[in-house]
Amino acid sequence: MRHRVGFSSDVLSDRGIRFRALMGSVLGAVLLAGCAVRPVIPALAHYEPGTGYRWSERPALANNDAKTLLILAFSGGGTRAAAFSYGVLEELRRTQVGRSGPMHTMLNEVDLISSVSGGSFTSLAYALYGEHLFDHYEQEFLKRDVEGELLKRLFDPLTWPKTLSSGFGRSELAEQYYEEILFHGATYADLIAKPTPTAIANATDIATGLRWSFSATNFDIICSDLDKMHLARAAAASSAVPVALSPVTINNYGGTCGYRDPPWVETAIKSRARAWTGNRALQRYRALQGYEDGRERPYIHLVDGGLAGNLGVYPVVEALQEAEASERFRKAVGVERLRRIVVVIVNAYTAPNLGWSKRETAPSALELLLQAVSVPIDRFSYESVDALEDLITEWKLRRQDAVDALRLKGDPIPADMVPPLEFSVIDASFDAVRDPAEREYLLNLPTTLSLSPAAVDRLRAAAAEVLRDSVPFRKLVDEISAEKNASDAAGRR
């Protein structure tokens, strides 16, 4: 007789209960993980001008020449832009100023960084970590497969409930990852006391096409507390390429905090000076006034800043025009004592050879979509550079007019007004790379968040080469070095 080996109905019933309980626990965990909502910045209880993270309120930087205003503009372009801009910071750090006195490099001279998309990772990380950035940024971000890890998380079933939640999308998933590997929960409040340049990251309001800057000026208008904004979220918004990543949504509380126009706006409106004709800062401010009624526009959906301008230069123009109009801002920036303004445009644009002109088959719908998204991000307009040059020309003419007026009256001319203001733009782009083959290689690098370690190193090396070869940059270093040597010598006497 054969004996059957089996389980009693009681055992089967018990196991079934335990199995269902286990599956219920797993499902519950998944559902709990999926109850995700987007981060919300709290509203400002009361508008207080002059507080928070803003250029005009930043502490004086150590070993920074007050007569030189050095501004960096980091373009977009994924890891390509992040690595290229990092290479510029490295070369500035290697370039010593003067031959005596305490250690002083050109990195100490940087006052402001305006950034877009991929460049915003570097600008925000440097503003947060300062010199410590050079200890870990390369391995923790630049040479990490960020895109691969994001895709892995996106296709992990355990994350689907999150990404399918209302208000929580692919950019929030990316934000969480950026927190883990780079920003570690830091907010704009953490930057206020840092002895580092002011960093302004830029995104685009997809509803209006307006550039949205992560600055106290913008967030005051919508009565939102920028100090509570996580740097990882700002970086996610600045680099949220449409289609690939979801928009980053922020709440608009406009009209609830007692906000009022800053004094410089009234000055700009009343001024009849030629410099204010078509003033970009004032035009932009008037556009931003559309956000003051939060009831009409309660949400702002932000995508990649490259859609509104990939060079990051326009925020520089507007900041300088605000400084020109605001007495408080002029004193903070030290406009009256400036001898030179230098803008380094770190431009990691691409011009890939797609080969479409050599094939009979037309581009597919997907190819067209990807190209339509990437073209405005990868290309740039000289208009922003022209606007910057026009502004500085007006400053120089105004200073010269003031000097001439003093001479006519026979009054003494302040030393700060002599010599006249100098202005230069330093082009740090792939176009300036000497080797044609290397230039072609760099121009064909993709706009992704993942590049090989070798590609990252070549980008860093190219940035260093371009800066060293720049005649305006060498002239700047020589001038500041000569002034520092003279000052050190006078101090020893």
Side-chain angles (χ1 to χ4, degrees), residues 135-209:
D135 299 331
H136 60 81
Y137 187 60
E138 182 182 340
Q139 297 302 324
E140 290 187 3
F141 185 77
L142 294 179
K143 293 185 176 179
R144 188 188 291 265
D145 185 7
V146 174
E147 188 163 301
E149 182 60 31
L150 289 177
L151 287 172
K152 180 180 175 182
R153 294 187 179 201
L154 180 61
F155 289 107
D156 183 349
L158 292 178
T159 68
W160 292 350
K162 278 187 176 182
T163 55
L164 293 175
S165 298
S166 176
F168 191 99
R170 297 181 298 282
S171 284
E172 279 69 31
L173 203 64
E175 176 190 347
Q176 290 181 347
Y177 184 56
Y178 304 152
E179 287 279 27
E180 293 173 20
I181 66 173
L182 186 59
F183 294 109
H184 309 294
T187 66
Y188 275 90
D190 296 312
L191 300 185
I192 293 175
K194 295 284 183 181
T196 53
T198 304
I200 302 177
N202 298 279
T204 304
D205 180 351
I206 195 62
T208 64

Side-chain angles (χ1 to χ4, degrees), residues 364-386:
S364 67
L366 179 59
E367 288 176 318
L368 288 173
L369 176 62
L370 294 176
Q371 185 69 350
V373 170
S374 64
V375 162
I377 295 174
D378 286 338
R379 302 302 296 178
F380 66 93
S381 171
Y382 284 106
E383 182 186 354
S384 60
V385 180
D386 292 340

Side-chain angles (χ1 to χ4, degrees), residues 26 52 77 91 97 121 186 202 252 288 331 334 374 438:
V26 171
E91 184 60 22
V97 176
F121 290 102
N202 298 279
N252 180 5
L288 290 174
K331 290 180 179 178
S374 64
E438 186 68 6

